[in-house]
Amino acid sequence: MFKKITAAIAATSLLLGAAGVAMADGHKVVDQIKFLIPGGAGGGWDGTARGTGEALTKSGLVGGATYENMSGGGGGKAIAHIIETNDQDTLMVNSTPIVIRSLQGVFPQSFRDLTPIAGTIGDYGAVVVHKDSTIASMPQFLAEYANDPKSVAIGGGSVAGGMDHLIAALIMKNAGANPIDVKYIPYDAGGKAMAGLLSGEIAALTTGFGEAIELARQGEVNILCVTSPERLSTSPDTPTCAEAGSPGTEFVNWRGFFAAPGLSDEKKAQFITALEKMYDTDEWSTVRDRNGWVEIFNADAEFVSFLEAQEEEIGGLMRELGFL
């Protein structure tokens, strides 16, 4: 359902050529970037912005970086701020929730009110159970759900209708079950959801693979499946959800960057070039491996096309579940 993101899509040569990107010393691409973070310190957006800024500045691709955390309105406060200030040096980090929350009307804007720059990293979804659970595999889990959906509570760190709920519903739908029957238990955050799993409040948890693999390595959980198109090298024994009984299930929580509306083609090209070149640096490899990020890169028009497709697909599922 959710289309696979191409692993590396080069920014259009026409745009970059026309913009004439200048590299001050044959290396630096952008003088400074002001990273705007729509959430608090320590969250996924915060880590993405600060990790990206670290790689860009330490590699010399960007002269300097600053960071501003601006929580509020499910990300809407930061979106309104970047539109109002129209600062051409600002990059706002965001992810799949900008699509979901715009559809829900949490804030009045959408990605169309910004200048999409590029999707840069991703985190696949995963279904996990407690290490002592009687459920040993995804086929067994699906069989128990089919027998009595309400006896199999699935938790997540997002509200009903949020991303973790949509992942659970998507998996069940593609497995041939009614996604409306999913007994979803929302928690305030991923950490509280994991605590609910470990205490036995829920039978399973949908969460990001990056978080799941760390707990699996610590022996706390077993991963039943991952929403990637292919098995991941970091956990080669974990089947994809498609392999495990939910054909066609693919989902990636992308993270990427947006600039102010009306950004010049020259500035856009500089941002895109800096991010693209970042992937070839040792500094990026250090940050990426430290955080367990999956590399993606879809820039400019390709990024917009991806966002439009995700909006259509997520919107369809949300309407089916009665959230739109």
Side-chain angles (χ1 to χ4, degrees):
M1 181 178 180
F2 290 91
K3 298 177 181 177
K4 178 181 178 181
I5 297 179
T6 305
I9 305 174
T12 50
S13 57
L14 177 62
L15 171 64
L16 297 180
V21 177
M23 299 186 190
D25 55 5
H27 189 67
K28 186 172 70 174
V29 180
V30 178
D31 287 332
Q32 67 165 337
I33 295 178
K34 301 174 184 177
F35 286 100
L36 180 62
I37 304 161
W45 285 333
D46 187 68
T48 300
R50 293 177 189 274
T52 300
E54 175 188 330
L56 288 171
T57 55
K58 285 187 175 180
S59 66
L61 290 167
V62 172
T66 61
Y67 308 90
E68 181 178 6
N69 293 85
M70 187 176 291
S71 301
K77 183 177 180 179
I79 293 172
H81 178 78
I82 194 173
I83 292 172
E84 290 166 6
T85 58
N86 199 29
D87 189 326
Q88 303 293 289
D89 292 325
T90 295
L91 281 184
M92 181 185 71
V93 65
N94 221 292
S95 57
T96 308
I98 195 174
V99 175
I100 296 173
R101 291 169 185 168
S102 176
L103 286 168
Q104 291 172 324
V106 173
F107 40 75
Q109 306 91 349
S110 75
F111 61 84
R112 295 176 181 83
D113 297 297
L114 306 167
T115 299
I117 299 299
T120 56
I121 61 169
D123 188 17
Y124 295 107
V127 180
V128 304
V129 294
H130 191 279
K131 62 177 181 179
D132 297 325
S133 173
T134 58
I135 299 172
S137 68
M138 194 63 189
Q140 181 187 353
F141 179 75
L142 292 172
E144 292 196 17
Y145 178 87
N147 183 55
D148 184 5
K150 298 307 178 185
S151 70
V152 184
I154 304 173
S158 63
V159 298
M163 188 166 57
D164 290 342
H165 187 183
L166 293 176
I167 291 173
L170 175 66
I171 290 170
M172 293 310 176
K173 177 182 178 180
N174 289 346
N178 186 346
I180 297 175
D181 291 337
V182 170
K183 184 180 180 181
Y184 178 76
I185 309 297
Y187 289 85
D188 236 359
K192 292 183 179 179
M194 190 62 69
L197 177 71
L198 299 180
S199 69
E201 291 177 357
I202 50 178
L205 174 70
T206 49
T207 188
F209 178 76
E211 182 178 3
I213 189 63
E214 278 305 309
L215 288 165
R217 287 168 178 163
Q218 295 168 21
E220 296 289 343
V221 303
N222 293 324
I223 306 175
L224 300 185
C225 74
V226 59
T227 63
S228 57
E230 299 172 351
R231 293 196 182 200
L232 302 177
S233 60
T234 49
S235 186
D237 293 332
T238 301
T240 68
C241 294
E243 287 179 310
S246 182
T249 294
E250 294 180 21
F251 184 94
V252 63
N253 176 25
W254 57 269
R255 293 181 191 149
F257 295 94
F258 297 80
L263 189 74
S264 70
D265 284 349
E266 179 180 7
K267 193 70 175 185
K268 183 198 291 185
Q270 290 174 357
F271 282 145
I272 290 172
T273 299
L275 291 169
E276 185 176 14
K277 287 181 174 293
M278 176 184 71
Y279 290 98
D280 295 326
T281 67
D282 292 338
E283 291 79 7
W284 170 251
S285 297
T286 298
V287 171
R288 178 201 62 206
D289 293 345
R290 184 176 71 217
N291 290 282
W293 289 337
V294 175
E295 289 183 351
I296 64 173
F297 186 73
N298 51 349
D300 196 22
E302 295 285 351
F303 188 31
V304 173
S305 295
F306 168 75
L307 292 169
E308 290 172 343
Q310 188 180 59
E311 180 184 60
E312 181 179 351
E313 292 163 344
I314 287 178
L317 183 58
M318 291 177 72
R319 279 187 286 272
E320 187 173 347
L321 293 172
F323 290 108
L324 291 181

